[in-house]
């Protein structure tokens, strides 16, 4: 009900159903999930534990483009102008400003902010550039002081 779950009702129900079916079918020792969607990773990890699944859910670090933007097939849908602007998303998340300051800076740069929130030891963000929705998150330890 938070973050992407609030913005995309039912999305994670579908994700968890598909992942549970897959893990039950293949009975893998390990399954690897990217930390770019840290919320999804946590939900899958918690599901596996709650249902006593034997598959170990392993996090994989976010892969970033040379300019810091989290790698995603969605990046290909960005216009040239928005692709140049997109790396400011992670720069603002890391800026050391509080959540309200980050949101203000993102808005000033032309992003439409879905959310920026600090939960636990992470900062999560989702924004739109044109029609493209970008998500990212970082450890609060990565934020500049």
């Amino acid at each position: 009900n938070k973050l992407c779950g609030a913005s995309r009702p039912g999305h994670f129900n579908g994700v968890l159903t598909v992942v549970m079916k897959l893990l039950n079918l293949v009975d893998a020792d390990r399954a690897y999930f990217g930390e770019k969607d840290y919320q999804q990773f946590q939900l899958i990890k918690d599901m596996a534990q709650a249902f006593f699944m034997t598959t170990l859910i392993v996090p994989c670090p976010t892969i970033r483009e040379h300019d810091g933007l989290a790698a995603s097939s969605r990046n290909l849908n960005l216009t040239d102008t928005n692709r140049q602007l997109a790396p400011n998303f992670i720069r603002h998340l890391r800026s050391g400003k509080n959540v309200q300051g980050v949101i203000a800076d993102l808005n000033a740069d032309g992003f439409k902010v879905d959310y920026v929130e600090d939960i636990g030891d992470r900062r999560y963000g989702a924004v739109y550039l044109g029609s493209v929705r970008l998500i990212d998150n970082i450890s609060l330890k990565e934020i500049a002081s």
Side-chain angles (χ1 to χ4, degrees):
N1 296 325
K2 296 179 183 178
L3 307 173
C4 287
S7 300
R8 302 174 72 194
H11 170 72
F12 288 122
N13 291 340
V15 168
L16 293 175
T17 298
V18 168
V19 171
M20 179 178 272
K21 287 181 177 187
L22 176 65
L23 295 179
N24 282 329
L25 284 171
V26 299
D27 194 30
D29 294 326
R30 293 181 181 91
Y32 298 85
F33 291 88
E35 290 182 330
K36 179 175 141 315
D37 191 336
Y38 198 82
Q39 182 184 17
Q40 180 172 282
F41 159 73
Q42 278 298 136
L43 289 168
I44 291 168
K45 181 179 161 194
D46 292 349
M47 175 196 69
Q49 291 173 345
F51 287 96
F52 305 102
M53 301 177 88
T54 58
T55 303
L56 176 65
I57 306 302
V58 181
C60 297
T62 300
I63 297 172
R64 298 195 177 274
E65 304 288 343
H66 69 281
D67 56 8
L69 180 65
S72 173
S73 59
R74 294 177 187 184
N75 298 348
L76 298 173
N77 297 324
L78 292 165
T79 64
D80 290 342
T81 301
N82 284 346
R83 178 59 187 85
Q84 290 180 349
L85 181 61
N88 289 344
F89 180 29
I90 189 62
R91 287 189 198 112
H92 289 309
L93 289 179
R94 288 181 174 147
S95 71
K97 293 187 177 182
N98 65 23
V99 167
Q100 293 78 17
V102 171
I103 291 170
D105 288 348
L106 287 166
N107 285 326
D109 271 359
F111 291 88
K112 179 183 172 203
V113 177
D114 185 358
Y115 61 79
V116 174
E117 292 188 38
D118 292 346
I119 299 175
D121 65 347
R122 299 198 82 74
R123 174 168 285 174
Y124 298 86
V127 296
Y128 286 90
L129 273 177
S131 62
V132 180
R133 186 171 188 269
L134 302 173
I135 62 170
D136 210 335
N137 71 90
I138 56 168
S139 166
L140 292 177
K141 294 176 185 174
E142 291 182 56
I143 295 176
S145 324

